Amino acid sequence: MASKRRQGESDRAEKKKKKNCEEAAQLSSVVEDEQVTRAVKEAWSQRTYYSQGDLDLDCHPFPHCIIRNFLSSETFLENLQRELLGLNFHEKSNDLYKFKQSDDLKKRREPHIAGLREVLFGRFRSWLGQLLGVELEPTVDISCARYEYTDVLLCHDDELEGRRVAFILYLVPSWQSSDGGTLDLYSTDSNFQPLSIVKSLVPSSNTLVLFEVSPVSFHQVSEILTEDKCRLSLSGWFHGPSLERPPRYIEAPIPRSPHLPRDETVLLEWVNPVYLDISYQEQIQEEFEDSSEIQLKGFLKEEKFREVSEALRLTQIQWTKRGPPNKRCYEVASVDSMPQCVRACWELLHSEAFFLLLSNFTGLRLHFLCPADDDDDEGKDEGKEDKKEQEDIRDGEATGSSTESQTANTSREKGVQKSLQSIHLCVCVCVLTLICSLELSTPVCCGELRRWSHGGYTLLHDGEVARAEYALDLVLPFCGEDWQPEFGGFTCYVANEEDEELLTVYPEDNSLALVYRDKETLKFVKHISHKSSSNSANSSTSRASYDFSFVYYE
């Protein structure tokens, strides 16, 4: 008797389980209304606005459709959300985004995930294909994303071979625009480049947003500004024939120029004397050649660094925002508006003497008189008796009596004099060398004075990949002593078509960063998060940091 009862309970449980597995999502009645379907199809083809009940179609800045109360059952929605929150999420972070994402959901067997997937890529796919007048493929492309405090997805167009329509289904608590996480839509210029945000959609639970993937479908998920809410969503793409894309716009590169005719006195005026000692330059070169990168702390004389830091905050500097936002977002200073000391620092980094100094630091041929790798090895051992003293100076660990200190200073001064004499000799005969060496390529550089604040970044893009070449990157930051790595704003180097970071350079006041990259190495500046503002002395005012960013070519 007990055995039969257990058997009966088992049968009922199995039937209930089977019923749950077969449970299908019920969509909004607006999707089933044939009259609405015809009207939406007509509006989409004519690029006009249409609204009916829970459905809105807007074609500005590009066609997108919003369907509220997408799932008709609240119980189904709650169970779906519970299943999604039980998934494993992986941290995703690169130049374009930072958030947590589940694995692909196309094979998940949870009843409500499976039920939604079935109706999305079945009945709803047919309805969508009818609207667009194309046959969408049965390809399943869907995952779940969790956006939490400071997570972001920056400006992009979603274009990838086969993607035809993008969709997002929101499963969020009560949400306001002040929480961030809006879906921002961009206008575009005549070159199909994004200009500015013209519409922001605030997430709303059980709302589906979809848009056709096209050359102008630029959008972003704005940074999450709330610390106590999770922006949960399902998203993916319906696949079909791609829309025709015009040739990609190729923007003009930053102009390059040869060095300015400035002699060694500019180095003596600006650069920390320890870096002008020729024996110490040899140590720097050895270290640089081992790793292709180095950071030279306390590079400028302290009084010069302070003077420039204060001048950078003057209102006379004219700043221009650099875009487009699918490639970069920061401000660049007009050279003509720079205060005198800032302009002098700019000219230092452009000067002939500095080109030669960089050659001594790196071994690169950034000056006509720089010796080739196998030239002039004599004198390599000069000053080696001072190597330990120079290491102590660099690390801030120099100790000893005043007599020992005077001896070290005298030795350093001799090294500086040797270095400057070498530079002076090079400068004096430069004109003759130029005349005699016209067949050689001319070392050049390009540079910017940049201002960074909350929301600033640079992205990897196809144009950068196509123009990649051997180069020496220089960054001299003026970011403030309390700048933290968690704010962002650091420079990442990655191998082309690889996500793994090869090198991360964090901004540090008066620390000159030098990195040599080849044709397969790309770089980006990580998005500066809301934390950079919330941790400032005045959280209502965005914190600004600055840097000189130069690139030198042999």
Side-chain angles (χ1 to χ4, degrees):
M1 196 89 162
S3 175
K4 287 183 179 179
R5 187 160 50 246
R6 284 195 296 271
Q7 181 65 44
E9 291 172 353
S10 176
D11 291 342
R12 285 193 296 273
E14 187 63 32
K15 288 179 181 178
K16 184 176 181 180
K17 181 178 179 182
K18 185 176 181 180
K19 181 180 179 181
N20 284 342
C21 289
E22 294 175 350
E23 186 173 355
Q26 298 299 317
L27 301 183
S28 170
S29 60
V30 73
V31 177
E32 308 294 339
D33 190 318
E34 292 185 3
Q35 184 177 349
V36 171
T37 300
R38 288 194 297 271
V40 174
K41 180 178 181 179
E42 175 69 16
W44 196 301
S45 65
Q46 298 296 322
R47 296 298 191 261
T48 58
Y49 178 81
Y50 176 80
S51 179
Q52 176 63 44
D54 286 331
L55 185 147
D56 291 331
L57 172 66
D58 192 354
C59 294
H60 178 70
F62 51 84
H64 58 280
C65 186
I66 302 169
I67 305 176
R68 294 173 291 277
N69 299 310
F70 182 69
L71 299 174
S72 59
S73 169
E74 283 292 330
T75 302
F76 186 96
L77 187 71
E78 291 170 3
N79 288 329
L80 173 64
Q81 185 172 2
R82 176 180 49 79
E83 291 175 359
L84 292 172
L85 290 173
L87 299 174
N88 291 322
F89 288 83
H90 310 285
E91 186 79 38
K92 309 284 287 185
S93 181
N94 61 14
D95 62 314
L96 185 64
Y97 50 70
K98 182 177 82 74
F99 62 92
K100 295 181 179 65
Q101 186 179 44
S102 73
D103 292 327
D104 197 306
L105 301 181
K106 63 183 178 183
K107 293 184 179 180
R108 299 298 303 192
R109 295 186 178 181
E110 290 84 348
H112 298 87
I113 293 176
L116 177 65
R117 185 179 63 228
E118 180 181 354
V119 74
L120 267 180
F121 293 92
R123 171 73 186 94
F124 189 74
R125 175 175 61 87
S126 299
W127 178 82
L128 194 55
Q130 186 179 348
L131 291 185
L132 300 177
V134 298
E135 184 175 349
L136 296 175
E137 301 169 5
T139 305
V140 175
D141 202 343
I142 184 173
S143 62
C144 184
R146 293 183 59 158
Y147 287 78
E148 295 168 333
Y149 183 51
T150 72
D151 285 349
V152 68
L153 173 58
L154 299 171
C155 180
H156 64 292
D157 61 9
D158 264 13
E159 280 214 307
L160 198 64
E161 187 66 32
R163 291 179 180 175
R164 184 59 184 259
V165 178
F167 70 89
I168 311 100
L169 176 62
Y170 296 111
L171 300 158
V172 294
S174 177
W175 205 274
Q176 292 80 41
S177 58
S178 58
D179 296 324
T182 54
L183 179 64
D184 298 332
L185 311 184
Y186 286 82
S187 61
T188 50
D189 62 18
S190 58
N191 295 313
F192 302 99
Q193 296 294 289
L195 279 174
S196 59
I197 296 168
V198 295
K199 188 173 184 179
S200 294
L201 305 178
V202 179
S204 179
S205 188
N206 198 16
T207 295
L208 183 88
V209 177
L210 59 89
F211 59 86
E212 197 167 30
V213 176
S214 74
V216 298
S217 57
F218 287 101
H219 59 284
Q220 73 168 11
V221 175
S222 67
E223 183 182 359
I224 305 298
L225 303 179
T226 176
E227 298 188 53
D228 54 4
K229 294 181 185 179
C230 169
R231 182 188 187 274
L232 188 71
S233 64
L234 283 164
S235 59
W237 297 271
F238 293 95
H239 291 249
S242 300
L243 295 176
E244 184 178 354
R245 167 176 270 285
R248 289 190 181 273
Y249 173 70
I250 300 175
E251 63 180 349
I254 299 174
R256 302 176 186 180
S257 60
H259 58 64
L260 298 173
R262 303 289 188 274
D263 63 21
E264 75 280 0
T265 58
V266 71
L267 301 182
L268 195 59
E269 180 183 358
W270 280 86
V271 178
N272 185 337
V274 70
Y275 292 114
L276 299 181
D277 186 290
I278 197 163
S279 62
Y280 192 28
Q281 291 173 13
E282 291 172 358
Q283 296 176 43
I284 291 172
Q285 185 177 138
E286 289 176 6
E287 184 175 338
F288 183 86
E289 289 176 343
D290 285 341
S291 59
S292 297
E293 59 91 13
I294 198 167
Q295 283 190 269
L296 307 178
K297 298 185 179 183
F299 182 75
L300 298 182
K301 289 183 174 181
E302 185 58 34
E303 64 274 14
K304 287 295 186 182
F305 180 80
R306 285 199 307 269
E307 184 182 6
V308 174
S309 295
E310 294 170 1
L312 286 172
R313 289 160 175 79
L314 297 179
T315 56
Q316 75 178 71
I317 302 179
Q318 297 174 6
W319 298 96
T320 303
K321 194 166 187 177
R322 278 214 70 200
N326 64 322
K327 297 176 182 177
R328 62 189 71 86
C329 179
Y330 60 87
E331 294 173 293
V332 61
S334 164
V335 176
D336 293 337
S337 71
M338 293 178 185
Q340 192 279 328
C341 67
V342 178
R343 178 67 175 263
C345 189
W346 170 271
E347 292 182 355
L348 164 71
L349 302 177
H350 266 103
S351 70
E352 178 180 4
F354 194 77
F355 269 63
L356 186 55
L357 184 64
L358 288 179
S359 294
N360 291 345
F361 285 160
T362 64
L364 300 174
R365 294 187 61 83
L366 294 173
H367 195 281
F368 290 113
L369 299 184
C370 176
D373 291 341
D374 55 351
D375 290 348
D376 195 19
D377 285 334
E378 64 182 64
K380 286 281 186 179
D381 296 328
E382 284 189 32
K384 282 195 174 181
E385 65 274 9
D386 299 323
K387 184 172 182 178
K388 178 62 169 64
E389 293 164 358
Q390 295 300 333
E391 290 174 348
D392 290 342
I393 292 171
R394 178 180 60 177
D395 299 332
E397 298 173 353
T399 60
S401 67
S402 59
T403 302
E404 291 170 336
S405 177
Q406 290 172 2
T407 302
N409 288 336
T410 301
S411 175
R412 182 165 71 252
E413 289 170 1
K414 289 180 179 179
V416 170
Q417 289 171 1
K418 290 178 183 178
S419 180
L420 291 179
Q421 287 168 359
S422 173
I423 292 172
H424 181 69
L425 175 63
C426 292
V427 173
C428 289
V429 298
C430 178
V431 174
L432 178 62
T433 305
L434 285 172
I435 295 173
C436 298
S437 308
L438 290 177
E439 71 281 2
L440 297 177
S441 61
T442 303
V444 293
C445 74
C446 58
E448 296 178 312
L449 171 56
R450 306 182 295 187
R451 181 167 71 177
W452 299 93
S453 57
H454 174 213
Y457 59 86
T458 67
L459 300 176
L460 304 177
H461 55 90
D462 293 341
E464 184 181 18
V465 173
R467 291 202 295 257
E469 55 187 309
Y470 294 97
L472 176 68
D473 293 333
L474 175 152
V475 176
L476 179 60
F478 296 77
C479 56
E481 295 179 354
D482 57 348
W483 189 269
Q484 302 296 321
E486 63 180 6
F487 297 168
F490 46 83
T491 304
C492 294
Y493 287 82
V494 296
N496 187 18
E497 298 184 351
E498 298 288 340
D499 288 334
E500 185 178 358
E501 295 177 6
L502 303 175
L503 173 69
T504 301
V505 180
Y506 295 97
E508 181 179 342
D509 260 356
N510 200 16
S511 180
L512 185 78
L514 299 174
V515 179
Y516 185 69
R517 54 185 165 88
D518 59 23
K519 293 181 178 181
E520 294 300 316
T521 303
L522 306 173
K523 63 176 178 176
F524 66 89
V525 177
K526 187 64 176 176
H527 175 264
I528 298 176
S529 76
H530 179 253
K531 291 181 180 179
S532 66
S533 297
S534 60
N535 285 27
S536 63
N538 183 358
S539 59
S540 63
T541 303
S542 180
R543 178 201 306 264
S545 67
Y546 308 82
D547 64 33
F548 286 96
S549 174
F550 277 67
V551 184
Y552 298 84
Y553 303 88
E554 292 182 284

